[in-house]
Amino acid sequence: MAVTAGHREATRRAVDPASGAQRLKEAAFKATMLLSTLVGLLFLLVLIVDVARDGVPLLSADFLSSFPSRIRPEDSGVRSALQGTLLLIVVTAAFIVPVGIATAIYLEEYADPERWWNRLIELNIQNLAAVPSIVYGILGLAWIVRGPLSLGRVLLAGALTLGLLVLPVVIVVAREAIRAVPSSIRDGSLALGATQWQTIWKQVLPGALPGIATGVILALSRAIGETAPLILVGAVAFYRFDSDGLLSSFSALPIQILEAVTDSDPAFRDLAAAAIIVLLVILLLMNSVAIYLRNRYEQKW
Amino acid sequence: MTEPSEARHSDGRNEEWAREAADVSTPAAVIAEPAGRETIFDVDNVSVYYSDKRAVRDVRIKLARNEITALIGPSGCGKSTFIRCLNRMNDLIPTARVTGAIGYHGQDLYASDVDPVQVRKRIGMVFQKPNPFPKSIYDNIAFGPRVMGVKGDMDEIVETALRRGALWDEVKDRLKTNAFGMSGGQQQRLCIARSLATSPDVLLMDEPCSALDPISTGRIEDLMMELKEDYSIVIVTHNMQQAARVSDMTAFFTVELDGDTGHRTGAVVEYDQTDKIFQNPSDKRTEDYVTGKVG
């Protein structure tokens, strides 16, 4: 029996219902999405080009190794601010890694979510992640610089304040990484006679480590970009000494950038651009390490 | 009925037993004891609760040493819940609660002075889905002995376990490679070998072949037949042919539906020699199940 032309036409319409108007709508939709994506990228590009134009000519080994100067911008550098930022990274990490991981382990492996106090802790951690950084600065000033700890305007106070600021992020990321380790791994370990602690230490944490490390690095890169809390805990903008340990005054790149851009002398603004490039390079390096760790070591279950 | 108030073992637990025993509404299951053989598990009136819902009730069976005991029954009848009581894996579920007593070589596993970690060192378990650790084959086997603090030649321990798990010849040249690269059947035999490395007394297997193809299943069944010379094995299976092929004794569980609440509780209907369960069961429900009329 022959298939009639009418049949074919009906079939064609059934499998290909998109009319011309519909296709146009699809295309317009896609173009809108693409344009929206480009807005963000364009601004980033403009920013980088602008900063690079002002800052790159100033970049040199001298720029990295000279102390900042209020008087002679041509000799000014970021030595103390760079030292401060790198030290802040190390000290903040030393604070948030153990505390963040321990909290995440408690909440994921031990806490009974039926208990009201555990639910309260969880709710608070979620809220803390949303608290503006200036509030942490005030907290740092009132409790760490002065008040109970009274450390003074020192690097350790800055690191602890930044640590408190990003701790909720670390906890949330570490919990997710721990939760991603399947319960069958815990069952297998416990069924072999391992204690709960052995199971966490030898099975759960190694499995969660790549995720935790990624989270810690991203949290740190957020911390070192922060300016407001460091202003409040008393970071110094033009610090003309090498860092002298955790209990000495300190500077940091964002602080110096802020001071330089607000200076009336345009020469200082170019210095700010150069310092921004240094900060961006550090951030990009840290994020690259995070991406590398994730791709290289992430466990597929 | 009165809920047993205290978590596992209060001083008044004998009274609880009495109350629960009096509460049994259906006739006691048809139970045959493994006559003349050494009992390894004496399960006395065990019920398991999740929160206040009873998942399994009044299990009374005795399991014999160096035999394979199969637990069969429809989905949701509490076989897996029950087998996880035998090495106290249910302790890990915060809402789970066990009443009754499980004698193991005469010692009540749920007595207050018994450490569940020690129990699991003697009573190994293999799970439904192969769960190798994301480590090398060697480290998978060595994990158990290491956490137990075993001193000695680890290479030899690993080789012995892999030989007993019928895996040695397939993996001896790639002991240091990641266990995730093995086939599903190999992974499951690795999990069995891993359990054997700690020299347990009993091997609990919770549907160990349900994720495997027939050839892998056959190999694991052969392995079980060899292992029962040295170990006592309890296996939960949905595959009745498997139960008939490998086991010496079979317990048939069923689901009882509470007409008022819709709550489902598992219970043992019949426990007997496997041949008897499959060829001449005493209970109509068992017969309907093993002949495929229900379930």
Side-chain angles (χ1 to χ4, degrees), chain B residues 62-73:
Chain B
K62 286 182 179 172
L63 310 183
R65 186 171 186 176
N66 291 33
E67 288 197 349
I68 300 177
T69 305
L71 311 178
I72 62 169

Side-chain angles (χ1 to χ4, degrees), chain B residues 22-175:
Chain B
D23 185 52
V24 174
S25 47
T26 47
V30 183
I31 304 288
E33 291 189 2
R37 288 158 297 170
E38 190 185 336
T39 299
I40 189 151
F41 282 113
D42 184 354
V43 180
D44 190 3
N45 216 6
V46 162
S47 296
V48 187
Y49 297 80
Y50 291 123
S51 296
D52 54 352
K53 294 216 169 62
R54 189 150 67 157
V56 188
R57 69 168 185 85
D58 312 315
V59 179
R60 279 192 205 83
I61 55 179
K62 286 182 179 172
L63 310 183
R65 186 171 186 176
N66 291 33
E67 288 197 349
I68 300 177
T69 305
L71 311 178
I72 62 169
S75 297
C77 69
K79 312 176 294 280
S80 291
T81 296
F82 173 69
I83 199 174
R84 289 170 68 96
C85 294
L86 297 179
N87 68 343
R88 295 195 58 172
M89 285 298 280
N90 279 336
D91 286 29
L92 307 168
I93 303 167
T95 57
R97 195 159 50 85
V98 178
T99 61
I102 297 178
Y104 168 67
H105 292 297
Q107 163 70 50
D108 181 5
L109 288 181
Y110 282 88
S112 57
D113 58 344
V114 170
D115 176 3
V117 171
Q118 298 304 320
V119 171
R120 294 183 204 122
K121 286 178 180 170
R122 307 296 314 281
I123 305 171
M125 187 159 199
V126 176
F127 299 85
Q128 184 169 355
K129 196 168 152 272
N131 58 346
F133 303 132
K135 300 170 185 287
S136 70
I137 294 168
Y138 186 99
D139 287 338
N140 262 274
I141 303 287
F143 179 75
R146 279 178 185 149
V147 299
M148 284 174 72
V150 170
K151 301 274 179 287
D153 187 347
M154 195 55 79
D155 290 352
E156 197 182 311
I157 292 171
V158 169
E159 180 174 342
T160 308
L162 284 169
R163 282 189 189 282
R164 278 198 234 164
L167 200 57
W168 174 253
D169 292 331
E170 289 164 62
V171 302
K172 64 183 174 197
D173 298 323
R174 51 178 179 126
L175 292 177

